Amino acid sequence: MTTPAVTTPHRASAELDGHISIIAACDRIAPTWPLDQFIAVNPYWGWRTSPAADAAGMLGALGGTVLTMPRSWFREEWTAGRLTAQQLDAAATALGEPSLATTALGVLQQPTAETRPMPRMALATDMRDLGRAPRPGQTWVDLVTHQISQHCAAHFDRWQGSWHPDQAVDLFAGWRTQLSASHGVKWQHGASWARTQISALPTEPEVAIALMLSALMIPDEGYEAYLTALLLSVNGWAAWCAYGRWQARLVGDDDHEIVGLLAIRLAWEWLLRLDADEPTAVARWDDWADSWAGAGDLAAEIVHKQRIDWLLQTALERTYQATLINALASAATTPLQVSTVQVPVVQAVFCIDVRSEVFRRALEAVTPEVHTRGFAGFFGLPISYTPAGSVLTRPQLPGLLAPTLHVSETTADGTDLNAIINERDATLSVRQRWSSFRGAPSSVFSFVESMGLLYGAKLVKDSLAHNAAPTKWEHDGLTVGSQTGLRPRLGMVDDDPVAAAAIAERVLRAIGLIDGFASVVLLCGHGSQTANNPHAAGLDCGACGGQTGEVNARVLADLLNSAAVRAHLLAVGIDVPTTTWFVASLHNTTTDQVQFFDTELVPAATQPRVVELQQWLTAAGDLARAERADSLGLSSLAEPGQLKQAILERANDWSQVRPEWGLAGNAAFVVAPRRRTHHIDLGGRSFLHDYDWRLDTDLSVLTLIMTAPMVVTNWINMQYHASTVDNCRYGSGNKVLHNVVGGRIGVFEGNGGDLRIGLAMQSLHDGDTLRHPPLRLSVFIEAPRAGIDSIIAAHAVVNDLVSNGWLHLLRIEPSTGLVERRTPDDWVSA
C-alpha cells in the first residue's frame, strides 16, 4: 500500500461520506460537565438508539470496553442470594433462549477461568507499537494521548494557567502551530519533514479529515467506525468538546471543537503511518486499513460472546426488582382521596435524590405529623443565578435544559445593595493582588520567607479536626452582616405577579400540592459538605446543575409566600390559606443536618410550628446518621452526639476520600403517591417522585416526569454503572492522584494522560466491598397503561431508553398494586 504524503490541499472523493461519518462519530460522544457544575451523565448517551447489548458490542470493538461486570462478580452475587435461578430462567425466557439459563447456571456453579474481553480494533498507533517505541518505556498510544491532552488542556484553560497559547484560533489550528514547533516527538524522517506534512494539511478540519481518510486507504464503509474509535481513544477530551457543543445547542448555536479534536487525532494516525519505515510491511498496513470495513462483524461476534453476561446482568436486576415488587404490592390499595386527606402539621417536599429517601423515612418515623413528598430538587424553576457583585452566572437546573429565568440578589432589610457590591469588589481586589504576589515566580521565595510561619499556622489550623461549615463562594468578600442581608429573588414577583403566579401554579400542580395545605410547607433542597474535593459539585444536587438546592428553595418559597401571587393563584383554583407559610431549607447529605433560611420572615403565629419542625428534623438527623454509620465505618459510635461529631469532622477532613457515598447503590425510581412506599425501607437506593395520576388529566405532569427526571436518573444510574464496570475508560481512577486541569475543566490522574471523567474508585468501593452494584435503573410508575404508552410513543428519547434496555420500565396498577413489565412490544406480568 502506498500512503501518499499531502503536499497540496485538495478535496478527496470521499469527502461527502467523510462528512456524514464525522457527524455520526461526534454524536456518539456524551458530554462531561466542568468540575464546578459536575453533574452525572450517561456516557453511553450517544448509543441509546441501539439495544444496550448491541451498543456494548460496538463499544467493545471500537473502544475495548465492557458494559457488564466480570463473571466472578456475578458468581459472588449468586452465592449471596442476590441472583436467583428463578429470575435466571425468567430472563432467558424473555430473551427467547430458555436453554441459555442452563449454560449460565453452569457458569455460576462451576467456577472457570475468567472470559477475557475480545481485543478492540487496532488503530495506527497500535500498529506502530508493534515496532520501535518512541522512547524507552513509552508506547505510541501513550505518547499521542499525552501530546493531545496537553494541547487541549492549554487550549481550553481560561481559569488556571498564567500563560496560554493563542486561544483566538480554533483547536485544530492551534495544534498545527504547536506540533510544528514541538521537539518532543522523534520522527524517523526528521522534524522538518513533519512540519512540511502538517503545513500541507487543509486548514478546515472536515476537509483535512476527508483527505487523511483517503490517504490512509480506509474503506468508505469503515469511516464511521474508524472515526468513532479515534474519539473513544481520547474520550475524556472528546467529552469536554461535546459539552461545549451541548451548551451551544441549548441556545440554538453550535460548537465545532470536537471536529477539530477528531482531525487532530486522525492527523497523528496519518503522520505515524507516513513515518513508518517498514517497506516490508505494506501488506500488513493494507490489511489494517481494510479491516475497518469489518468492524460490524467483530461487534456481532462480541455480542454473541456476551449473551451469558447480559443474561446474568438481567437476572440480577430482576432479582432486585422481585423484592421491591413484593413490597410495593403489599401497600394499601385504597385510592388516595386528595381533596379529603387529613391535613398534617407539616408538608415537607424533598428532592427525589436517593439520599433523601433515608432522611424522609427517618423524619416520618419521628412523627406522623409530617407528610413528605418527592419532587425534582430544582423545584421546577428554570433559573440561572448571579450573586450580587459577581460576574459569574451559574445554571440552577438540570443539564438537559437551558435556563429561561434569571435570579439575582436583593437586600431584605433595606441595606444598600450597591454598598455590599462595593464591599465585595474592594475585598476581592485586595485578595487578587495578594494571590498574584504569592503565585508570581519572582516573588515566591520572598513570600515563603515573609509568611512561612504564619501561613504554616493557617495550614495547621485548617488541617485540625473541626466541625465548622465551610464558607460558600457566594459569600466571598462579604462580612457576616452583609451575607445575612442578601436574598435570591425573582424580580417578576413584584414586577409581574401574573407571570409569577403562572410559574407557581405549574410548580404546585407538578408537585401535586393544590389543596389541603398544612400550616408549614417545607421546601427542602440538598447539598453536600466536603473538603479538598475537586468533584464536590458531584455530591450536590444534579437537578440543580451540580449546585445545592438552596437558591431554588428560597426563590420558590419567596414566590409562594407573596400575597400578590397567591391572589392570582386563587383565580386558577388554588387557594393557599393565609395561615400557610413556605419555609426554604437545605438538607446537608454528608451530615444529615437541615438548615433553614429566611426564618425572620415567618409570621409570629407560625413560629412555634417552625421551632417544632426543627426539633423533629434534628431527631430525624440522628436516625439517618445512625443508619448510615456502618457504611462510613462508624458503627462503633452508638451515642448520637459522638456520631454526629465524627461525621462533622469527616466532612471537613482534607484527607477524607469518601465523606459520604453520594448516590452509590442507586437502582430504582418510583413514581407514585408516598402511600405506596411509606412502609418500605428502600435502603437509600431509590429515587422517589410523588405522582397522583388522577390529578393529571392531560398527562402533562407524567410527560414532564418521564422526559426530565426519568432521563436525569438514567444519567445518574449510568454514570455510576459505567464508572464501576470500566473505571479505566469511564471513571476517574484513584482520587488521591487527581490534579485539577484548567481550574474547572476536570482532572488528570497523575500529571497526564487523557482527561478523566466519571467517578473515582473511592466513590464506588470501600477497599473491601463494592458499594455500587451496577444495576440498570428500574423505573416503577403508578399510572394507567394507556397514558404511559402514549408518552413513550410521542418522545423518541423515552422510547429509546425503554425499548433498547437502557432502563427497565415497570407499571404499578393503581387499583391493585400489581406490577407489570414493559417489553419492546407489550406489557407482561412481572
Side-chain angles (χ1 to χ4, degrees):
M1 177 174 106
T2 302
T3 306
V6 178
T7 54
T8 56
H10 67 278
R11 295 186 177 272
S13 60
E15 186 174 331
L16 179 59
D17 289 338
H19 174 73
I20 296 171
S21 299
I22 289 168
I23 295 173
C26 292
D27 285 347
R28 292 297 192 187
I29 305 299
T32 185
W33 263 249
L35 293 175
D36 58 334
Q37 301 170 26
F38 191 70
I39 64 171
V41 180
N42 175 358
Y44 313 124
W45 188 245
W47 299 88
R48 67 187 183 278
T49 55
S50 300
D54 291 350
M58 284 303 297
L59 280 163
L62 304 182
T65 188
V66 292
L67 272 67
T68 57
M69 292 290 282
R71 292 181 181 179
S72 57
W73 180 78
F74 287 108
R75 201 170 294 125
E76 292 170 2
E77 295 298 288
W78 165 265
T79 303
R82 291 185 289 267
L83 195 166
T84 66
Q86 178 185 357
Q87 297 303 331
L88 201 59
D89 288 336
T93 300
L95 288 173
E97 293 188 77
S99 62
L100 204 58
T102 303
T103 307
L105 195 59
V107 169
L108 295 173
Q109 293 177 332
Q110 298 178 357
T112 57
E114 193 64 57
T115 302
R116 296 175 60 85
M118 296 183 68
R120 61 172 173 79
M121 301 283 293
L123 299 170
T125 43
D126 300 302
M127 296 292 288
R128 283 297 303 268
D129 277 330
L130 297 175
R132 186 185 308 168
R135 57 175 62 96
Q138 186 180 45
T139 66
W140 283 106
V141 169
D142 289 341
L143 182 143
V144 169
T145 301
H146 181 79
Q147 290 280 336
I148 293 175
S149 193
Q150 295 299 308
H151 173 65
C152 287
H155 177 82
F156 289 115
D157 179 12
R158 304 292 190 277
W159 307 275
Q160 185 175 4
S162 57
W163 174 88
H164 304 102
D166 183 4
Q167 295 173 324
V169 300
D170 63 37
L171 183 67
F172 183 59
W175 173 82
R176 286 162 56 93
T177 301
Q178 175 264 326
L179 191 62
S180 293
S182 173
H183 298 283
V185 182
K186 302 300 181 184
W187 302 103
Q188 295 188 82
H189 288 82
S192 61
W193 167 87
R195 285 193 290 272
T196 300
Q197 304 307 316
I198 294 169
S199 63
L201 281 173
T203 56
E204 183 65 34
E206 284 200 357
V207 178
I209 289 170
L211 186 65
M212 290 184 288
L213 285 172
S214 177
L216 285 168
M217 306 293 285
I218 303 295
D220 295 1
E221 59 270 31
Y223 280 3
E224 182 180 334
Y226 181 52
L227 296 179
T228 302
L230 291 176
L231 285 176
L232 290 174
S233 73
V234 285
N235 186 66
W237 284 110
W240 176 254
C241 293
Y243 166 75
R245 170 168 283 191
W246 184 283
Q247 294 303 303
R249 289 179 173 179
L250 278 179
V251 295
D253 202 351
D254 210 342
D255 182 279
H256 301 285
E257 292 287 50
I258 191 170
V259 179
L261 177 66
L262 179 57
I264 292 170
R265 183 62 185 87
L266 177 58
W268 274 102
E269 296 273 291
W270 169 72
L271 284 167
L272 288 175
R273 172 64 189 97
L274 286 180
D275 195 44
D277 188 14
E278 303 168 279
T280 61
V282 172
R284 187 179 69 181
W285 280 101
D286 282 345
D287 291 343
W288 169 80
D290 292 342
S291 71
W292 285 99
D297 296 334
L298 176 59
E301 190 178 346
I302 292 173
V303 170
H304 181 77
K305 185 178 180 181
Q306 292 179 346
R307 288 180 307 147
I308 296 295
D309 304 271
W310 281 100
L311 177 61
L312 295 172
Q313 178 74 33
T314 304
L316 184 68
E317 291 157 350
R318 280 174 170 258
T319 305
Y320 168 76
Q321 292 164 4
T323 303
L324 190 50
I325 288 169
N326 292 335
L328 290 169
S330 67
T333 57
T334 304
L336 182 64
Q337 300 299 321
V338 175
S339 59
T340 60
V341 69
Q342 178 185 359
V343 177
V345 172
V346 175
Q347 289 155 331
V349 184
F350 287 84
C351 183
I352 64 174
D353 188 283
V354 298
R355 293 165 291 182
S356 297
E357 186 272 329
V358 177
F359 196 90
R360 288 175 63 183
R361 189 161 27 85
L363 180 57
E364 291 164 346
V366 167
T367 174
E369 299 293 338
V370 177
H371 289 184
T372 72
R373 292 172 177 265
F375 188 65
F378 77 117
F379 295 112
L381 297 178
I383 59 175
S384 59
Y385 164 61
T386 303
S390 172
V391 296
L392 177 62
T393 296
R394 73 185 190 203
Q396 290 276 159
L397 77 171
L400 291 163
L401 308 172
T404 57
L405 300 171
H406 182 252
V407 170
S408 54
E409 289 182 311
T410 62
T411 51
D413 54 5
T415 305
D416 183 359
L417 182 61
N418 287 327
I420 292 178
I421 293 174
N422 291 336
E423 171 193 317
R424 183 198 291 270
D425 286 345
T427 304
L428 294 183
S429 177
V430 171
R431 288 188 189 176
Q432 180 62 41
R433 290 196 296 272
W434 179 255
S435 179
S436 297
F437 163 66
R438 184 178 65 180
S442 60
S443 62
V444 65
F445 291 107
S446 58
F447 173 82
V448 172
E449 291 290 332
S450 303
M451 300 299 296
L453 291 177
L454 291 175
Y455 211 73
K458 179 182 184 300
L459 290 175
V460 170
K461 179 183 176 182
D462 288 344
S463 65
L464 292 176
H466 64 96
N467 57 17
T471 302
K472 294 184 291 188
W473 74 267
E474 297 97 318
H475 292 161
D476 253 10
L478 298 179
T479 63
V480 174
S482 296
Q483 294 170 20
T484 56
L486 289 172
R487 181 170 298 127
R489 198 161 197 260
L490 269 176
M492 67 168 56
V493 174
D494 295 323
D495 302 337
D496 192 351
V498 175
I503 294 172
E505 178 192 5
R506 177 175 53 78
V507 172
L508 289 173
R509 292 194 185 280
I511 294 175
L513 190 59
I514 56 175
D515 61 7
F517 291 92
S519 60
V520 174
V521 179
L522 185 73
L523 302 175
C524 194
H526 68 92
S528 184
Q529 181 179 335
T530 63
N532 190 31
N533 181 10
H535 289 102
L539 295 173
D540 285 331
C541 183
C544 297
Q547 313 300 328
T548 76
E550 175 188 339
V551 171
N552 298 67
R554 295 178 73 181
V555 169
L556 183 59
D558 177 72
L559 181 72
L560 295 173
N561 287 328
S562 165
V565 169
R566 291 186 180 190
H568 290 291
L569 281 174
L570 187 60
V572 294
I574 300 178
D575 184 4
V576 182
T578 56
T579 54
T580 292
W581 193 258
F582 291 83
V583 177
S585 64
L586 188 72
H587 170 211
N588 184 325
T589 55
T590 309
T591 66
D592 277 318
Q593 295 172 299
V594 176
Q595 179 183 4
F596 281 27
F597 302 100
D598 311 319
T599 53
E600 70 278 5
L601 301 178
V602 178
T606 311
Q607 285 284 359
R609 292 295 194 194
V610 172
V611 172
E612 186 177 36
L613 173 58
Q614 288 174 318
Q615 295 169 345
W616 290 336
L617 290 166
T618 298
D622 288 339
L623 291 178
R625 284 188 291 273
E627 180 174 328
R628 295 192 301 117
D630 183 59
S631 70
L632 299 173
L634 300 173
S635 56
S636 61
L637 300 176
E639 200 281 313
Q642 289 182 334
L643 178 58
K644 180 179 179 181
Q645 179 66 25
I647 288 179
L648 287 171
E649 292 178 359
R650 186 186 184 93
N652 292 310
D653 185 353
W654 282 29
S655 66
Q656 181 54 249
V657 293
R658 49 178 76 87
E660 64 155 287
W661 281 108
L663 294 97
N666 73 84
F669 178 29
V670 181
V671 181
R674 177 57 173 157
R675 65 174 175 81
R676 184 64 67 187
T677 55
H678 186 276
H679 65 298
I680 308 174
D681 179 353
L682 292 165
R685 302 190 66 186
S686 180
F687 303 93
L688 292 179
H689 198 304
D690 273 65
Y691 173 70
D692 187 339
W693 66 273
R694 291 174 302 105
L695 299 178
D696 188 24
T697 55
D698 63 354
L699 294 178
S700 60
V701 175
L702 186 58
T703 299
L704 180 65
I705 292 171
M706 293 181 68
T707 57
M710 191 175 84
V711 175
V712 170
T713 53
N714 166 263
W715 278 24
I716 294 168
N717 175 261
M718 281 288 118
Q719 183 196 54
Y720 274 80
H721 185 105
S723 296
T724 303
V725 300
D726 190 353
N727 195 266
C728 229
R729 293 176 179 84
Y730 294 111
S732 55
N734 186 347
K735 186 180 292 189
V736 177
L737 303 179
H738 284 177
N739 282 305
V740 173
V741 180
R744 66 188 287 263
I745 293 173
V747 296
F748 285 151
E749 187 182 14
N751 66 349
D754 195 12
L755 186 72
R756 299 308 302 266
I757 61 174
L759 301 164
M761 279 306 302
Q762 286 91 338
S763 297
L764 307 163
H765 201 285
D766 65 8
D768 295 315
T769 306
L770 186 64
R771 288 288 178 174
H772 179 75
L775 308 181
R776 284 172 292 178
L777 192 69
S778 296
V779 180
F780 293 80
I781 300 177
E782 183 167 328
R785 185 188 298 171
I788 297 175
D789 282 342
S790 67
I791 295 169
I792 294 173
H795 297 274
V797 166
V798 176
N799 185 56
D800 289 340
L801 295 178
V802 174
S803 300
N804 291 324
W806 294 103
L807 53 76
H808 299 281
L809 181 61
L810 302 102
R811 188 183 75 86
I812 306 170
E813 171 54 44
S815 60
T816 64
L818 297 178
V819 177
E820 59 182 6
R821 181 189 312 279
R822 184 64 152 78
T823 70
D825 304 314
D826 203 357
W827 293 91
V828 298
S829 174

